[in-house]
Amino acid sequence: MTDTTTPDREIAPLYQWMNRIPGGLMLIPLVIGSLLGTFATGFLEMGSFTTALFQQSALPLIALLIFATGTQVTLKTSGPVLATSAVVLLCKSIVPATLVILLGQVVGLDGVLGVSILALLVAVDNSNGGLWLAFTGRYGDKRDRGAYISSALNDGPFFSMLFLGASGLADIPFSLMLAAVIPFLLGMLVGNLNPHWREVLRPTPAIVIPFFALALGTGIDLNNIVKGGLSGLVVGLVVAPVTGFFVYLGYRFLLRRGYRSGLGFAAGTTAGNAIATPAIIGMADPTFQPYVETATAQVAAAVLVTAVLSPLIATAVLKKEGGLLSEEEIRKLDDMELGIKEPQL
């Protein structure tokens, strides 16, 4: 008997459409989630599996992605991963935060152009680890994906409090920082003990990224974006190219990544949970309380603007410098021992 079956016809190739947009697997669900979080809260609060998947899944799915990323890092490649993480942390958090503090010493806490030092500092000293994983999962190799560790370290109010100089505010429990990297370390352990898990978990980014991005988006209230107004847009337009450029310089001159250096611009983001940092700082130090409401709105705007702009800039630079590789070329890089000269693809 002749098999007359044919493949199912694609009515709407949604996955392909999202993939055509730089960072689209992360960006489009993020925007859809923000629309749901602003205008359809009733749907998100239905409970059961609907709420669990579309609103409360971000942290578990990101944790799964982090574990899967760890399985791809062998003992031979851990050195380059740590080096990349250190450079991203230096160029995305420490250098920009230092510059903002120096600016604050000159202009005061009121900042410039209606953007307080609090808002500017919170926007620049952290990064969107989910977007970094999404972008490097498509265009980077193992050392780039493993550099999410820098986002685990700069996540939350720690760096903001540290650089604001409030001596009692930098006491972040070590257990919290350890908890952020345990899934990655366990992934490394499993992947090295049983390499078969690397192949099992290799497709994880394509599966989980759209879902955790949508869940993250539900926490972004578009009303706050509107309140942030022009000043919030200015914050995002500054953070994406400036902090991304610092990481680009680190990739080019410290890591010597050559035509792949454009990946650094993908770090020029503001993490979604940074929206809560101004309020945390305001509660801890009343000096900053008058700036909290406006800073929160401006940081919320920066989260959305940088999520859109950073992958676009990174893609453009990679394309210009010949580093926009195909999935097969990325796989070849993954299968090579890191730390040697990159192949001419």
Side-chain angles (χ1 to χ4, degrees):
M1 179 180 293
T2 303
D3 185 4
T4 58
T5 59
T6 58
D8 292 338
R9 182 171 63 90
E10 293 191 23
I11 298 174
L14 300 177
Y15 187 86
Q16 295 91 320
W17 290 342
M18 288 194 294
N19 248 337
R20 288 183 186 139
I21 300 173
L25 283 182
M26 173 81 180
L27 178 58
I28 293 176
L30 184 77
V31 173
I32 293 174
S34 66
L35 291 171
L36 290 174
T38 304
F39 303 111
T41 54
F43 168 76
L44 296 173
E45 295 171 357
M46 289 177 65
S48 190
F49 300 120
T50 297
T51 301
L53 178 60
F54 296 119
Q55 188 176 42
Q56 298 176 351
S57 64
L59 287 181
L61 291 179
I62 290 176
L64 174 59
L65 180 58
I66 289 168
F67 179 87
T69 298
T71 64
Q72 307 300 311
V73 178
T74 68
L75 294 177
K76 293 180 180 180
T77 65
S78 59
V81 166
L82 293 176
T84 304
S85 300
V87 168
V88 173
L89 188 65
L90 171 67
C91 298
K92 177 60 180 80
S93 297
I94 297 176
V95 171
T98 300
L99 294 176
V100 170
I101 291 301
L102 292 175
L103 176 64
Q105 292 176 342
V106 175
V107 303
L109 295 181
D110 289 341
V112 293
L113 300 175
V115 181
S116 67
I117 292 299
L118 175 62
L120 193 55
L121 181 65
V122 171
V124 305
D125 68 10
N126 63 89
S127 56
N128 187 327
L131 191 144
W132 175 261
L133 281 170
F135 192 86
T136 58
R138 171 60 184 87
Y139 299 113
D141 58 29
K142 293 176 184 177
R143 70 193 117 174
D144 304 309
R145 294 190 292 275
Y148 105 91
I149 295 174
S150 60
S151 295
L153 293 175
N154 68 21
D155 204 7
F158 175 74
F159 274 98
S160 297
M161 291 178 173
L162 181 64
F163 280 95
L164 285 171
S167 60
L169 301 180
D171 187 17
I172 305 298
F174 175 75
S175 60
L176 292 181
M177 303 188 76
L178 181 62
V181 298
I182 281 179
F184 182 81
L185 297 177
L186 286 177
M188 280 187 62
L189 178 63
V190 170
N192 282 276
L193 291 177
N194 185 357
H196 182 68
W197 276 102
R198 293 180 200 148
E199 294 306 314
V200 172
L201 293 173
R202 192 186 288 269
T204 299
I207 297 171
V208 303
I209 285 171
F211 291 95
F212 80 64
L214 190 145
L216 284 176
T218 63
I220 300 176
D221 189 338
L222 292 178
N223 292 316
N224 287 333
I225 306 296
V226 174
K227 290 178 183 177
L230 181 61
S231 59
L233 294 177
V234 169
V235 174
L237 292 173
V238 168
V239 170
V242 173
T243 63
F245 181 65
F246 289 148
V247 183
Y248 169 82
L249 293 178
Y251 257 65
R252 178 164 289 278
F253 296 108
L254 297 179
L255 296 174
R256 299 185 181 279
R257 293 293 297 277
Y259 64 97
R260 310 301 310 288
S261 300
L263 287 165
F265 278 100
T269 54
T270 299
N273 57 9
I275 297 172
T277 298
I280 294 172
I281 293 176
M283 287 188 293
D285 186 347
T287 303
F288 299 97
Q289 193 60 48
Y291 304 98
V292 168
E293 183 176 358
T294 301
T296 299
Q298 291 169 339
V299 171
V303 170
L304 196 55
V305 172
T306 58
V308 174
L309 197 56
S310 293
L312 292 176
I313 297 174
T315 304
V317 174
L318 282 171
K319 185 176 182 179
K320 180 180 179 181
E321 297 185 348
L324 200 62
L325 307 182
S326 68
E327 292 185 15
E328 184 171 341
E329 289 170 328
I330 295 295
R331 182 181 287 264
K332 289 179 181 178
L333 286 178
D334 271 346
D335 291 339
M336 293 182 60
E337 289 186 5
L338 299 179
I340 64 175
K341 185 178 180 180
E342 290 187 338
Q344 298 297 318
L345 297 172

